[in-house]
Amino acid sequence: MFYCREEELRTMNRRYEKGRFECIVIYGRRRVGKTALINEFCKGKPTVYFSALNASSRENLEALSKAIYTCQNPDSASAPAYRSYADALDEITVMSSQKRLVFVIDEYPYLAKAEKAISSQLQHIIDHQWQDGQLYLILCGSSMSFMEYQVLGYESPLYGRRTAQFKIQALTYREMTVFHPELSFPDQALLYGVTGGIPHYINKLDVETDLDEALLENLFNTSSYLFEEPENLLKQELREPGIYNSVISAIAGGASRANEISTKVGLESGVCAKYLKVLLDLGILKKENPITEKPGRKTIYAIDDNFFRFWYRFVPRNMSVISAGRMRLVYEQAVRRFYPDYMGLIFEKMCQQYLLRYADNLPILLRDVGQWWGTDPKTRREVQIDIVGTPVEGNEYLIASCKYRNEKIGIEELELLRRYAAVFRQAGTFHYYIFSKGGFTPALYEAEKQGEVTLLLLEDLYR
């Protein structure tokens, strides 16, 4: 089944129907569903689909030749190779002069790495032959930094040639409910906390009726695909996967500032910064600052990919039990009982998505949402506000607390929010929100009736 990319698919089809030359750039992290989108779009359309290889220029030319020949001769088992990329692209020109043709180059960064001149060759043929024709060119890649700088960037030979671009993001917590609409709200939230809205991981987890059973069979099992996914992805993308593994492990273990991470890994700060940047470019890590402040000494690093965060939290510490095939016996004590703690930051991310994408009747038009932290001058202790929503204009702010606990939240949480808002030190009006999995006390509901706070349950995020 094909889910959730309906708007991108509609836009691509509208452009196809116009019959003009298109150069569509599609990029996003691995496993996010780029190829599935392209395959769905190409159904029923004449297509040359070339998936570039992490191999030599000659091997890629042979693969491109086969893709062209297969489009022309779908029943043939063999394919002659073109002498050069120029010859292969000239054949694409001939084919697209006869009919509307889709030409896909998937994993374009691999091709550009193998054949250094390919971007310049594409730029030349676009300018002199394709732009007045009916070719529908799609360039797709998983290396986001390459696609942003070497394809979309100003210094790229292809700069200005694209007609549209799609940065494919992970699904939101609400979008991914279409995969398993029968699950309860807590299980939907946990599924998002494990997979991060990556369709490939949702499918591989293969939930049938019970999420715990699916995790035991398809993640906490040495023979399962997902068990080795983080390590395999690092090996596939990086030259020194062991060092990157150490960096991620350090962050998963609580190190958040650059100097803490470099010390824990045993690298010089300048060297460690290079590894951090690569992981940022891959979308595995993120860099955070208090929402109203510029990057500086308060900058921290965190694992942005939910699947990596889940895996590094629960798999390494239980590796001996998993390897011995005894995970089922200790799952409740070694994993499941820690879910409320693990889900705290996930719930914050869900609440942020809710406020930015789904909430109606907010008191202000939000520009952005994020965490804020700083030192209370009175107590000299650091305080943290789960969510601060900043306005597009004006001086009204949304201040929110997110609690993923089973117990009911009381009036003291609102009082705490007010104290933290005073530390926030932004002059203006504050609108208080509290999100809770377990509900609220009568006193807090009374405060909501008085207009002092807005209260939202986990299930409200899905409505």
Side-chain angles (χ1 to χ4, degrees), residues 339-359:
Y339 281 166
D341 177 59
Y342 170 78
M343 286 295 296
L345 287 176
I346 302 297
F347 190 47
E348 287 182 21
K349 183 186 289 190
M350 293 170 61
C351 296
Q352 289 178 7
Q353 290 181 6
Y354 171 80
L355 291 170
L356 283 176
R357 298 182 62 136
Y358 302 118

Side-chain angles (χ1 to χ4, degrees), residues 150-196:
Q150 302 299 319
V151 176
L152 299 173
Y154 180 76
E155 295 183 359
S156 168
L158 293 170
Y159 178 76
R161 274 72 186 180
R162 76 181 185 274
T163 56
Q165 69 285 322
F166 298 93
K167 183 175 183 179
I168 307 301
Q169 305 278 11
L171 303 177
T172 69
Y173 74 91
R174 191 184 282 193
E175 287 173 331
M176 59 173 282
T177 58
V178 299
F179 285 83
H180 298 288
E182 75 284 355
L183 292 180
S184 66
F185 295 124
D187 277 355
Q188 291 284 7
L190 179 58
L191 183 61
Y192 177 70
V194 175
T195 66

Side-chain angles (χ1 to χ4, degrees), residues 272-283:
C272 188
K274 295 179 181 178
Y275 290 100
L276 288 170
K277 184 181 184 304
V278 171
L279 291 171
L280 289 168
D281 289 341
L282 287 174

Side-chain angles (χ1 to χ4, degrees), residues 76-110:
S76 178
S78 61
Y82 291 95
R83 292 178 300 173
S84 67
Y85 284 93
D87 289 347
L89 296 177
D90 283 343
E91 183 62 27
I92 294 291
T93 304
V94 172
M95 294 171 66
S96 63
S97 68
Q98 300 166 353
K99 60 184 176 182
R100 184 68 154 153
L101 178 71
V102 179
F103 177 31
V104 179
I105 306 180
D106 202 353
E107 294 299 349
Y108 181 72
Y110 284 160

Side-chain angles (χ1 to χ4, degrees), residues 21 48 64 68 72 82 85-103 121-122 124-137:
F21 169 74
V48 173
L64 174 58
I68 294 172
Q72 297 170 321
Y82 291 95
Y85 284 93
D87 289 347
L89 296 177
D90 283 343
E91 183 62 27
I92 294 291
T93 304
V94 172
M95 294 171 66
S96 63
S97 68
Q98 300 166 353
K99 60 184 176 182
R100 184 68 154 153
L101 178 71
V102 179
F103 177 31
Q121 288 181 276
L122 285 173
H124 184 271
I125 200 167
I126 288 171
D127 290 350
H128 293 89
Q129 297 187 61
W130 290 353
Q131 68 175 355
D132 295 323
Q134 54 184 342
L135 181 68
Y136 196 108
L137 174 65

